């Protein structure tokens, strides 16, 4: 379908990525549904967005009327059947586990209209692994937003061999409508572009830390002061969440079988301890959640 036929966007998953993507779509003028099986996650998402949009209004970044219109465009629901019924474009933003995503794509393929495009926000999982469980592989792609979506400007639109040009161009047009710069990758590879480069930095940083070459704080400081990065690799792990990093590395190892792709010991330890980063108040660093 063409971009001007997109009227209703469904975002599945109200976590740290999904609720912000939904807000972008609502701000872009789309009728938007944010769906999650967890009603508490939906309440948290709505409260978080209200707070953030109030700050935007206070700073002059957004008018009060634009905020009101955006929230009128946005619906929070735990009912996937209802939300998917007339969706034209779906963005999946659930946990970074292949089996969970495949199960969802099976449901979306059954529930959404045949013309609907199914996009995954996955940061590493190629869309062909999701398209294979649907009957519309030509209408499946990755639309990989970066964290935090309300701030970061780029979206990687990734095609598989079966993704149609129309699907890719429609996804690109949606990005433009919501104020983001979409970039099409015409050949899929796990991790895409940004995360493969970032992953290489993270692996080296973790190796330096685990081998006792330098403390994680010093590694972060060197990367920021010498390379000009706004965040060091361990600060970025805390921002993304050790659980997310762990899921990503597990998936890469499953695909490649390369021992170097296995989750690092320090990441596994953080996950087992529940020290996931900013969202739990403790990761490599400590955070005040108040």
């Amino acid at each position: 379908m063409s971009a001007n036929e997109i009227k209703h966007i469904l975002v599945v998953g109200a976590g740290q990525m999904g609720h912000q993507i939904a807000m972008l779509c609502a701000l872009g003028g789309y009728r938007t549904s944010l769906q999650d099986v967890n009603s508490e996650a939906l309440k948290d998402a709505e409260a978080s967005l209200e707070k953030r949009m109030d700050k935007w209004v206070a700073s002059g970044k957004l008018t009060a009327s634009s905020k009101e219109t955006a929230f009128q465009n946005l619906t929070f629901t735990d009912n996937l059947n209802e939300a998917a019924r007339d969706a034209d474009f779906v963005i999946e933003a659930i946990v970074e586990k292949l089996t969970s995503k495949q199960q969802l794509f099976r449901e979306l393929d059954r529930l959404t209209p045949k013309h609907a495009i199914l996009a995954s926000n996955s940061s590493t999982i190629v869309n062909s692994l999701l398209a294979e469980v649907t009957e519309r592989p030509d209408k499946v792609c990755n639309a990989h937003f970066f964290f935090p979506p309300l701030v970061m400007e780029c979206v990687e639109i990734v095609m598989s061999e079966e993704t149609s040009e129309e699907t890719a161009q429609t996804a690109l047009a949606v990005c433009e409508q919501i104020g983001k710069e979409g970039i099409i990758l015409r050949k899929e590879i796990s991790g895409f572009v940004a995360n493969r480069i970032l992953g290489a930095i993270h692996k080296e940083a973790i190796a330096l830390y685990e081998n006792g070459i330098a403390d994680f704080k010093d590694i972060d400081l060197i990367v920021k002061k010498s390379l000009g990065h706004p965040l060091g690799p361990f600060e970025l792990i805390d921002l993304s969440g050790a659980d997310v990093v762990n899921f990503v590395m597990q998936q890469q190892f499953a695909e490649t079988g390369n021992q170097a792709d296995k989750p690092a010991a320090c990441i596994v330890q953080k996950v087992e301890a529940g020290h996931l980063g900013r969202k739990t108040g403790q990761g490599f660093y400590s955070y005040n959640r108040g």
Side-chain angles (χ1 to χ4, degrees), residues 111-147:
L111 295 172
T112 58
K114 296 303 180 185
H115 68 260
I117 291 171
L118 307 181
S120 173
N121 180 56
S122 175
S123 58
T124 55
I125 297 172
V126 294
N127 71 81
S128 59
L129 295 176
L130 306 175
E132 68 184 18
V133 303
T134 76
E135 295 183 0
R136 62 180 91 184
D138 60 311
K139 293 181 173 63
V140 178
C141 67
N142 289 91
H144 175 222
F145 291 75
F146 294 86
F147 184 78

Side-chain angles (χ1 to χ4, degrees), residues 9 25 72 104 127 137 146 160 167 174 210 239 263 266 275 289:
I9 294 181
C25 296
Q72 288 173 350
L104 175 60
N127 71 81
F146 294 86
S160 72
T167 292
V174 168
E210 291 190 335
L239 180 63
C266 64
H275 297 162
R289 301 183 69 195

Side-chain angles (χ1 to χ4, degrees), residues 45 56 136 141 165 192 286:
W56 280 20
R136 62 180 91 184
C141 67
E165 184 68 24
F192 318 140
S286 296

Side-chain angles (χ1 to χ4, degrees), residues 205-216 219:
I206 288 170
L208 291 168
Y209 168 60
E210 291 190 335
N211 287 320
I213 305 301
D215 184 72
F216 68 86
I219 294 171

Side-chain angles (χ1 to χ4, degrees), residues 73-112:
N73 289 339
L74 183 56
T75 300
F76 300 84
T77 179
D78 61 2
N79 190 324
L80 182 61
N81 287 20
E82 184 178 299
R85 185 181 305 143
D86 67 343
D88 302 308
F89 195 99
V90 181
I91 303 172
E92 166 272 313
I94 67 169
V95 65
E96 196 75 352
K97 287 185 177 179
L98 178 59
T99 53
S100 298
K101 291 182 187 293
Q102 286 179 328
Q103 180 180 350
L104 175 60
F105 269 69
R106 287 189 188 95
E107 290 186 65
L108 291 172
D109 191 44
R110 176 175 59 86
L111 295 172
T112 58

